[in-house]
Amino acid sequence: MGAPQEPAGRGDSGAPQPHRGIPEGTERQVTALYWEAFGRKLGRALGPPEKGRAFLAAHLHHDRGITVLDGSGRVVGVAGYDIAGRALTGATSRDVLSVYGPLRGLPRLALLALFARRPAEGELVMDGICVAAAHRGSGIGGLLLRDIAAVAAENACSRIRLDVIDVNPRARALYERHGFIAVRTQQTPFLRKLLGFGAVTTMHRAVTPGGLDEGTPR
């Protein structure tokens, strides 16, 4: 992937359009959306919220995300992905220990390790997808998924993989509409009190040269 493209605003149709990369200056907007969507999980590892959002914003890989901007240039949707071990959220263990200190940092690293999902060869792993509350149900999630699939095809990936938790049926329904198939579910009752979910389902979607077309799954 090259340098992130500059945002182009809205397309000719007037509708928000996806853009490759995280535009410079929108890091806080992106991490605010991430925290809104995944704060229950991230808060245990990177909280308190303001500190966690700032930490994420400082350690983004700008070329590993897709954004959707509204007419004012504000980010209203974002999807991150991991190819070859490089993901949108790019902090290292050293970064965590440097910001949170060894005493508080080590338990946080143990929690973050639970979320690690390295891609296999020829695989793109989704690193989260989120849409601003006021724009949900407007098709932005589908735009992001189609562009993620295009990225996968351009990078010669044969499969997209993602995980969805049991308390997020809306996200799972979106993935199923776009051809993702559940391949296994891992029960995680030990995480229910800590992180708010008790099962994680892994879903796969095959990638074709054209990416992800709207309509009947292939």
Side-chain angles (χ1 to χ4, degrees):
M1 298 290 292
Q5 297 178 358
E6 291 296 321
R10 292 174 179 257
D12 294 338
S13 66
Q17 298 294 322
H19 304 282
R20 301 287 177 87
I22 306 300
E24 294 292 338
T26 67
E27 295 85 358
R28 289 297 187 114
Q29 295 176 37
V30 167
T31 53
L33 282 180
Y34 253 60
W35 202 272
E36 180 183 346
F38 310 117
R40 175 70 182 270
K41 178 176 71 174
L42 294 173
R44 295 286 186 174
L46 298 175
E50 182 59 31
K51 187 172 185 176
R53 289 192 293 266
F55 180 82
L56 289 174
H59 296 93
L60 292 177
H61 287 147
H62 288 64
D63 63 343
R64 285 297 193 260
I66 295 169
T67 52
V68 174
L69 283 70
D70 66 10
S72 66
R74 185 166 187 82
V75 177
V76 295
V78 59
Y81 58 90
D82 186 328
I83 296 176
R86 180 179 170 88
L88 176 61
T89 50
T92 65
S93 298
R94 180 177 295 181
D95 295 326
V96 173
L97 295 176
S98 175
V99 171
Y100 294 93
L103 185 61
R104 294 185 177 182
L106 288 172
R108 294 169 188 269
L109 286 174
L111 273 177
L112 290 170
L114 295 175
F115 311 143
R117 297 167 297 159
R118 290 188 63 84
E121 185 175 354
E123 184 177 66
L124 179 150
V125 173
M126 289 281 296
D127 187 28
I129 182 170
C130 38
V131 177
H135 294 266
R136 290 170 191 162
S138 63
I140 288 176
L143 288 175
L144 290 167
L145 286 175
R146 284 191 287 275
D147 223 49
I148 283 284
V151 169
E154 290 163 13
N155 284 272
C157 296
S158 60
R159 184 172 73 187
I160 302 171
R161 173 165 60 95
L162 60 82
D163 291 334
V164 61
I165 57 178
D166 58 347
V167 293
N168 197 354
R170 183 171 183 161
R172 177 163 177 167
L174 170 67
Y175 301 143
E176 289 174 340
R177 286 198 301 274
H178 286 270
F180 286 84
I181 298 172
V183 294
R184 63 178 175 274
T185 297
Q186 179 182 4
Q187 300 298 323
T188 56
F190 58 95
L191 293 178
R192 187 170 294 280
K193 285 188 176 181
L194 182 64
L195 300 177
F197 60 89
V200 178
T201 297
T202 297
M203 306 184 78
H204 289 168
R205 175 66 154 85
V207 176
T208 61
L212 223 171
D213 293 330
E214 193 170 12
T216 304
R218 289 186 287 248

